[in-house]
Amino acid sequence: MEAKARAGNELRSAGRTLNTLVVPLNGLILKGVAIEPMRLGALRIWLGGPAQTTLRGHLASLTELGAVERGGPDKKFKASESGLTEMGRELLRVTLVLEAWLAEAPAGSIALGTEGAKGTVKALGAAWESTMLRALAARPLSLTQLDRLIGPVSYPALERRLSAMRATGLVEARPNDESGTPYALTAWGCRGVGSISAASRFEYLHMPEETEPLAPIDVETTFMLTAPGMVMPAGADGICQLVAEAGTGKSRLAGVEVTVDRGHVASCVSRLDDKPRNWARGSSSSWLDVLVIHDTAKLRLGGNEALVSSVVLSMHEQLRGPDRDD
C-alpha cells in the first residue's frame, strides 16, 4: 500500500514541532532552562553568547508557545528568570530524542543547534510532510517513480528534497542496470521516525486543535520504518499483526504483518488479516504512547502475548535509541 501525499497547505502531524526545533537556539534554550530557571544574562552565557536581541526573540516565541514561562510570586523561581512549563518538559523530550538521533549520523555526530542539525531536521521534516518517507518505507524508488506516487508535490520539489535527503544521509543510491537510480532509506534514516513520533505525541498532548491528527497510515509508516532494525529474544518466532485504528470500519484501519524468525524480523509487509493469530491493536495516539514512552495501557493484545509484547517493546527500544532513559 503506497500513499499519495495529501493535498492542501495543512502541516501534517509533527510538522509544527519539527519546524520549532529546526531553529538552532530553541532546543538549546529548552535544555538550558531545564537545568534550572535562568536570567537572560545567565542563559546567554550558558548558550555561548548569542546576540541578546536574538535570544530575547527566541525566548518570547517559546513563551508564546507555552513551553517557557517567567517566574513570579506564585512560582518557585524569580520573575526575572525563565523556566520550563509542563508543556516545555514534553517538548524537551522531543529535543532529546532528536539530539540522540543526530548523534548517530552516518558521517559523524551532528550537534544540536548547528547548521548541520538544521539542514538534517529540515530534510527529515520535508520527507515526512511530502509522504516520501511512506513511499520509500515500502521499497527503494527512483525520482521518476516517486513523482508518479506523490501527486501534489512537483518534480523539481521532489528532486530538491531527495537531494537534501541524500546529502544528509537519510537515503543512499542503489545503482542497477535499469533506467533511473533507485534510492533507499538508510538504517539511520529509518530511525528518524523516532523523532517524528515524539513530535507527533507532543502535538496530540499539547496542540490538538492546531495540528492535523496522526492518521493510521502514518502509524503504519512508522511500523515499516522501525521493523527492519528490531531485535528480540532469540526464542521469539511467529507472525504478529500490528494495527492502528481511527474509528470503526475496515477503511479506518492500517497496519503491518511482522514475521519474526529467531529474534529477528524476517519481513514486514503492509497487510491486514481479518483473523490474525497474534496481534496488537490500538488508536494512533495509543501507539504513540507505546513508541515514545512504552506505555501499553491503551493497547489491546491477542494470541501469543509473549511474542506480541516482545515485538512492541522492541519497537520502542529501536526508536528510543541507545542508552536513553524514558
Side-chain angles (χ1 to χ4, degrees):
M1 186 187 303
E2 293 174 347
K4 286 183 175 288
R6 278 170 281 190
N9 297 319
E10 295 179 343
L11 281 175
R12 298 179 68 213
S13 179
R16 283 177 171 78
T17 302
L18 291 178
N19 284 348
T20 297
L21 297 179
V22 156
V23 178
L25 268 181
N26 282 345
L28 296 176
I29 289 171
L30 293 171
K31 291 187 70 178
V33 297
I35 297 171
E36 62 179 358
M38 293 189 194
R39 292 172 181 262
L40 182 69
L43 180 59
R44 185 167 177 247
I45 292 171
W46 189 86
L47 290 169
Q52 186 164 302
T53 53
T54 300
L55 179 54
R56 283 185 186 278
H58 289 310
L59 266 175
S61 295
L62 290 171
T63 301
E64 183 180 357
L65 178 66
V68 172
E69 64 180 355
R70 298 296 295 270
D74 58 338
K75 302 289 194 312
K76 295 181 179 179
F77 51 96
K78 298 175 182 178
S80 58
E81 296 174 332
S82 295
L84 278 187
T85 63
E86 186 62 36
M87 179 186 190
R89 281 184 275 276
E90 287 290 343
L91 187 55
L92 178 63
R93 182 194 295 275
V94 183
T95 304
L96 295 177
V97 171
L98 185 62
E99 184 179 43
W101 175 68
L102 289 169
E104 299 178 313
S109 178
I110 303 173
L112 186 71
T114 62
E115 286 301 309
K118 179 179 179 179
T120 301
V121 176
K122 284 184 70 174
L124 177 69
W128 172 253
E129 187 69 28
S130 63
T131 72
M132 289 175 73
L133 280 184
R134 175 65 186 89
L136 291 169
R139 60 186 174 92
L141 295 167
S142 68
L143 179 58
T144 300
Q145 290 170 321
L146 283 167
D147 184 50
R148 290 173 185 155
L149 287 169
I150 303 173
V153 184
S154 70
Y155 186 95
L158 284 174
E159 188 173 28
R160 288 193 299 272
R161 293 179 187 196
L162 188 60
S163 177
M165 292 176 73
R166 188 173 184 182
T168 53
L170 295 173
V171 299
E172 58 189 1
R174 295 280 180 86
N176 61 15
D177 296 330
E178 301 176 4
S179 61
T181 301
Y183 291 87
L185 289 164
T186 62
W188 178 73
C190 288
R191 288 197 299 277
V193 79
S195 299
I196 293 169
S197 297
S200 294
R201 182 174 181 272
F202 169 78
E203 290 181 5
Y204 99 72
L205 286 174
H206 297 285
M207 306 167 66
E209 297 178 357
E210 302 171 41
T211 187
E212 185 179 355
L214 193 72
I217 193 69
D218 297 326
V219 182
E220 179 183 287
T221 301
T222 303
F223 294 156
M224 296 184 71
L225 292 172
T226 307
M230 287 162 38
V231 178
M232 285 148 278
D237 277 287
I239 298 174
C240 178
Q241 185 166 283
L242 309 175
V243 184
E245 58 191 20
T248 58
K250 189 77 172 180
S251 63
R252 306 292 287 169
L253 304 177
V256 297
E257 183 180 273
V258 178
T259 301
V260 181
D261 180 16
R262 290 170 289 185
H264 293 272
V265 175
S267 69
C268 176
V269 294
S270 175
R271 181 167 60 211
L272 292 179
D273 188 333
D274 288 336
K275 296 181 180 179
R277 180 173 295 179
N278 310 302
W279 51 272
R281 181 166 171 165
S283 66
S284 297
S285 60
S286 67
W287 274 111
L288 288 176
D289 288 342
V290 170
L291 297 168
V292 179
I293 62 172
H294 194 228
D295 179 358
T296 61
K298 297 177 184 177
L299 209 61
R300 304 188 300 282
L301 310 182
N304 183 341
E305 291 198 12
L307 171 65
V308 178
S309 296
S310 183
V311 170
V312 170
L313 174 60
S314 182
M315 293 184 71
H316 163 69
E317 291 180 337
Q318 171 72 357
L319 293 188
R320 181 187 63 181
D323 304 320
R324 291 234 341 109
D325 295 324
D326 284 340

